[in-house]
Amino acid sequence: MKNIILLFVLALGLTYSSYAQKTGSFDEIVMFNQEQRTLAVHVPVDYDPNSSYKLVVGLHGLGDTGTNYRNALISSLNWNAQLPNTIFVFPDGGEDQSSDHYAPVGDELFIVEAMNWAKTSYNIDDNEIILQGFSLGGRSALKFGLENHTMFKGLILNTPAVQGILDVNNVEGFSSMYQYENASQIPIGIIHGSEDVAYLEFDKILYRNLVKNNGIVRTGILEGMGHNIPPIQIMIQLFNFVDNPGLDGINIELENIEMPQRTCESIVSPTLLLRNSGLTNSGEITLNINLNGTDYPYTIETDLGNYEYELLDLDLSDITLEEGENNFVISVKSVENGSDLTSSKDTTEATVSMYNGSVTESIQLGFENVEKYRDDWYIEESGSLFPWWIENEVSKSGTNSISKISTILYFAAFGLQEDFVSPYFDLTQYENKAVSFDYAFNYHKYTPPYFTEDVTFSDTLRIYISNDCGDTYELLFEKTGAELATAAEPIINALDIQSAIFVPTESEWKTEIIDLSDYSFESNSTLKFTIVSGQGGTIYIDNINIGDVSTSVEYANEDSFSISPNPVQSVINIEDKLGDKNATYSISSINGDEVMQFNANETNNINIDQLSSGAYFITKKVGNKTETHKFIKK
């Protein structure tokens, strides 16, 4: 592969100028694809042509230049002082400063040009070439290094700017299509800052994808650092890792555990990702699973070699969840073939809530009590940069609302959905079987010259109900674009994040009411508010009310009929306050089975002697309107 690429590059007509061996920092102009391109270089001032040198090829980030990047690493961070006998070359990305080293097509071959220039000009050890990159340069280094792993000793990536969840997961049409299958062939060191919110979560997924391909990979998070390059003392650890990627002995790392946030089952089966980064095979591994303070040993019959992983569905059929919140702590207890070397990743934790009954009183959520919202409701995130979050500057009433933004200005996210899920509630206990909420939304539109023709981008709001603990959902509500918008006109040609955000006026809020009377007899229901990304729009939701809707779906402000007595022995009296002659009535059991039906003009006194003792519902229906009341038969 190395020879093929080299021949191809030479075929492009690359030329080198006659060259005297310079030292220190300087820029070199070379021809690439019939145009002049810059290589920013640093060579040790005491360079000896009779000695072989290591080579670091560094790729700069978005909008930067190779020269600026070299000056930052060499002049400011003193990489040259801590990496002796090393030559650095930084290929410039060219005039397309808003893209990475893969644009335009074929531009990545300038990486090979930089290497060939260095090897032609200086005494470079072919076995000591490292590809390094920052931000979008890190993304390019990741892609190019995996594609051409035989050309490099290792990859060192500073916050590789993978472009969202679709990119990092190799979704066709949205991704560079990283060759993760080659991760076992080359050491990869990754570091990012804890405050680098745009990329941190994506880089965690990147790391897991590499691990799942038996990747020789190590990662670190530097506390307090944003989108930046850490001090050289931190970077040295990654260079040392590339030099010696395997630890002597056994080193079991628990990388990730996945389980539902909420369940109605008393038993769960978490999925655990673990690996051995030591040079010695592990043999059988014994874990300790601590659930709510009680320890349970768990043995895995395996034999993991160096950087081999296993993705396990843990059989916890002997461990029963408690009602409410359950806390799992899983740790490495012992390994068959020796002692576990380090404790840095010996433990992983997760929390799952088990169904502990449905809410029988109406639910109101104004997002003012943030802790209560977090206790009772939960968010299922897709992994996009912008999930649901609590907004404390825009609301219909009070201070807070829940919000979600989407835009084409950041990372591909088309089709991703963010779910916001309610507690379980008992509709049989609600007189007003409806949900209402206030919302504000606007979408985006782009016109020429930004697009060749008018193009709109809009997210979609969907609301679902589940009556089987979330196993299945039915669609209640769906709107998008102008139908969903509460503003008169879309946001036109938003070119930065600030102008893409919709901030509604008082008049740009709407109230939506959804009738739940079709589910009157369900005692275990939950609602899911879902935003499906069309990469256009800002939505705010406030004042969610379930079962206590101020404006009733059925009849505006008060009940249209009443029943008496309640409890009742044999005859129930119906008083229809509106005199609806076309109304029909039905009586159903607590299980939803209809046991009686009659018309309003038949009689106001209904004999129910034939009914067994217990709870029943009487429902009035006029056209599409329904109203239900509960009564007790003695």
Side-chain angles (χ1 to χ4, degrees):
M1 178 66 179
K2 179 177 177 181
N3 292 332
I4 292 174
I5 290 181
L6 179 59
L7 289 172
F8 178 54
V9 173
L10 292 176
L12 294 176
L14 301 173
T15 61
Y16 302 116
S17 60
S18 59
Y19 188 80
Q21 288 176 326
K22 300 180 183 178
T23 62
S25 293
F26 58 92
D27 288 350
E28 187 71 17
I29 305 300
V30 300
M31 294 299 297
F32 175 76
N33 279 350
Q34 287 75 53
E35 66 178 10
Q36 292 186 337
R37 294 284 288 271
T38 300
L39 295 176
V41 184
H42 179 83
V43 179
V45 293
D46 59 353
Y47 172 74
D48 180 0
N50 296 314
S51 300
S52 63
Y53 284 75
K54 300 177 181 179
L55 176 65
V56 172
V57 180
L59 307 183
H60 63 76
L62 174 69
D64 205 355
T65 66
T67 301
N68 289 341
Y69 192 46
R70 176 202 60 206
N71 293 342
L73 298 190
I74 303 301
S75 302
S76 300
L77 297 177
N78 297 314
W79 279 32
N80 56 312
Q82 298 297 322
L83 297 169
N85 302 317
T86 302
I87 293 173
F88 300 85
V89 60
F90 303 89
D92 193 84
E95 296 181 357
D96 54 327
Q97 298 297 319
S98 61
S99 59
D100 65 8
H101 292 263
Y102 270 82
V105 174
D107 206 44
E108 71 279 5
L109 294 177
F110 195 49
I111 300 170
V112 184
E113 159 68 356
M115 296 167 57
N116 289 340
W117 176 89
K119 288 190 288 185
T120 301
S121 305
Y122 296 91
N123 188 358
I124 301 295
D125 185 343
D126 267 349
N127 298 315
E128 294 288 343
I129 302 176
I130 291 176
L131 182 60
Q132 184 273 337
F134 167 66
S135 192
L136 271 182
R139 178 177 183 260
S140 296
L142 170 69
K143 177 174 170 58
F144 191 82
L146 288 174
E147 289 174 341
N148 304 281
H149 58 86
T150 60
M151 298 174 66
F152 304 101
K153 182 178 184 179
L155 309 178
I156 294 181
L157 314 176
N158 297 101
T159 312
V162 293
Q163 298 297 289
I165 190 70
L166 299 177
D167 184 36
V168 74
N169 283 335
N170 273 352
V171 176
E172 190 171 358
F174 297 100
S175 172
S176 288
M177 305 304 287
Y178 309 105
Q179 293 184 12
Y180 290 128
E181 64 273 16
N182 292 332
S184 63
Q185 304 300 311
I186 183 171
I188 304 171
I190 306 173
I191 193 162
H192 38 239
S194 63
E195 304 306 308
D196 193 357
V197 295
Y199 299 105
L200 180 58
E201 294 304 316
F202 301 137
D203 281 352
K204 289 179 180 178
I205 297 170
L206 166 64
Y207 176 71
R208 291 197 290 270
N209 287 346
L210 293 168
V211 168
K212 289 177 182 178
N213 284 273
N214 296 320
I216 307 171
V217 57
R218 180 176 295 176
T219 187
I221 299 175
L222 186 60
E223 291 298 325
M225 187 178 77
H227 193 60
N228 214 326
I229 299 175
I232 184 59
Q233 292 82 0
I234 302 296
M235 295 303 304
I236 287 294
Q237 298 178 30
L238 296 187
F239 281 97
N240 289 339
F241 164 71
V242 168
D243 287 337
N244 299 287
L247 297 173
D248 289 331
I250 303 168
N251 193 47
I252 302 302
E253 299 174 346
L254 306 182
E255 300 295 351
N256 189 50
I257 183 171
E258 295 181 1
M259 65 173 62
Q261 292 179 272
R262 190 172 71 179
T263 181
C264 290
E265 304 295 331
S266 60
I267 296 173
V268 292
S269 298
T271 299
L272 178 66
L273 174 63
L274 73 163
R275 71 166 182 172
N276 176 19
S277 60
L279 294 172
T280 302
N281 283 27
S282 67
E284 189 175 82
I285 301 171
T286 300
L287 305 175
N288 183 68
I289 298 177
N290 183 287
L291 173 61
N292 302 326
T294 301
D295 292 332
Y296 302 89
Y298 190 96
T299 300
I300 305 170
E301 295 182 0
T302 186
D303 190 22
L304 296 179
N306 185 219
Y307 287 105
E308 289 183 346
Y309 85 100
E310 201 155 325
L311 192 61
L312 298 170
D313 292 325
L314 301 180
D315 180 4
L316 304 186
S317 55
D318 295 333
I319 302 176
T320 303
L321 300 180
E322 300 174 358
E323 288 191 346
E325 187 174 272
N326 292 263
N327 297 302
F328 279 93
V329 180
I330 302 179
S331 56
V332 178
K333 187 175 183 180
S334 64
V335 289
E336 180 181 8
N337 292 340
S339 299
D340 193 30
L341 287 174
T342 69
S343 58
S344 61
K345 291 187 176 182
D346 278 1
T347 300
T348 185
E349 301 181 15
T351 299
V352 57
S353 294
M354 180 189 166
Y355 171 75
N356 59 352
S358 299
V359 177
T360 58
E361 297 179 351
S362 59
I363 298 172
Q364 293 84 41
L365 181 61
F367 302 98
E368 304 306 308
N369 186 334
V370 175
E371 290 307 315
K372 179 172 176 57
Y373 137 70
R374 287 175 177 163
D375 289 343
D376 297 342
W377 298 63
Y378 76 94
I379 291 174
E380 290 183 351
E381 297 182 8
S382 69
S384 71
L385 180 61
F386 300 112
W388 288 105
W389 82 91
I390 296 297
E391 168 61 58
N392 58 15
E393 295 183 358
V394 178
S395 63
K396 172 62 175 175
S397 61
T399 302
N400 298 341
S401 64
I402 193 169
S403 183
K404 169 80 175 69
I405 182 175
S406 188
T407 169
I408 62 171
L409 301 176
Y410 282 89
F411 309 154
F414 284 99
L416 296 179
Q417 66 179 50
E418 309 293 331
D419 298 332
F420 177 53
V421 188
S422 79
Y424 299 113
F425 53 90
D426 186 351
L427 276 168
T428 67
Q429 302 299 307
Y430 295 170
E431 288 195 10
N432 196 342
K433 302 178 192 306
V435 56
S436 71
F437 58 94
D438 298 321
Y439 78 96
F441 172 78
N442 205 4
Y443 61 105
H444 299 157
K445 180 178 180 180
Y446 289 86
T447 63
Y450 304 104
F451 284 81
T452 56
E453 58 185 19
D454 289 359
V455 179
T456 60
F457 296 90
S458 178
D459 292 353
T460 299
L461 176 62
R462 294 174 181 161
I463 300 175
Y464 301 87
I465 188 169
S466 173
N467 301 295
D468 55 8
C469 276
D471 288 341
T472 61
Y473 281 91
E474 297 179 42
L475 182 65
L476 296 172
F477 172 96
E478 180 176 23
K479 288 184 180 180
T480 189
E483 184 184 17
L484 181 63
T486 59
E489 296 292 335
I491 296 172
I492 306 293
N493 296 331
L495 302 180
D496 57 64
I497 190 65
Q498 199 60 42
S499 60
I501 297 175
F502 169 57
V503 179
T505 64
E506 179 65 28
S507 63
E508 291 176 322
W509 284 83
K510 289 183 179 179
T511 300
E512 190 72 40
I513 302 173
I514 302 173
D515 183 3
L516 302 180
S517 58
D518 286 346
Y519 309 94
S520 296
F521 310 108
E522 299 290 352
S523 60
N524 180 19
S525 300
T526 185
L527 293 176
K528 180 168 67 176
F529 292 73
T530 296
I531 283 287
V532 182
S533 176
Q535 294 214 204
T538 310
I539 191 165
Y540 306 91
I541 294 179
D542 201 2
N543 302 321
I544 299 175
N545 293 287
I546 305 173
D548 185 25
V549 181
S550 58
T551 304
S552 169
V553 175
E554 297 86 7
Y555 296 91
N557 294 311
E558 59 182 19
D559 295 336
S560 71
F561 78 99
S562 62
I563 55 175
S564 62
N566 190 9
V568 57
Q569 182 73 45
S570 60
V571 176
I572 189 169
N573 177 264
I574 299 173
E575 180 183 355
D576 192 320
K577 301 176 183 179
L578 301 181
D580 288 323
K581 300 299 183 182
N582 295 321
T584 60
Y585 290 85
S586 61
I587 295 177
S588 301
S589 69
I590 194 72
N591 296 322
D593 298 325
E594 187 176 284
V595 293
M596 292 183 64
Q597 189 178 65
F598 49 91
N599 296 324
N601 56 5
E602 290 178 352
T603 178
N604 289 335
N605 297 300
I606 307 300
N607 190 303
I608 57 170
D609 280 334
Q610 71 272 36
L611 300 182
S612 303
S613 299
Y616 292 87
F617 296 95
I618 182 168
T619 299
K620 173 186 175 182
K621 185 174 183 180
V622 180
N624 293 324
K625 298 179 180 179
T626 62
E627 181 179 334
T628 301
H629 295 282
K630 182 179 178 181
F631 68 91
I632 303 297
K633 168 68 165 61
K634 293 181 180 180

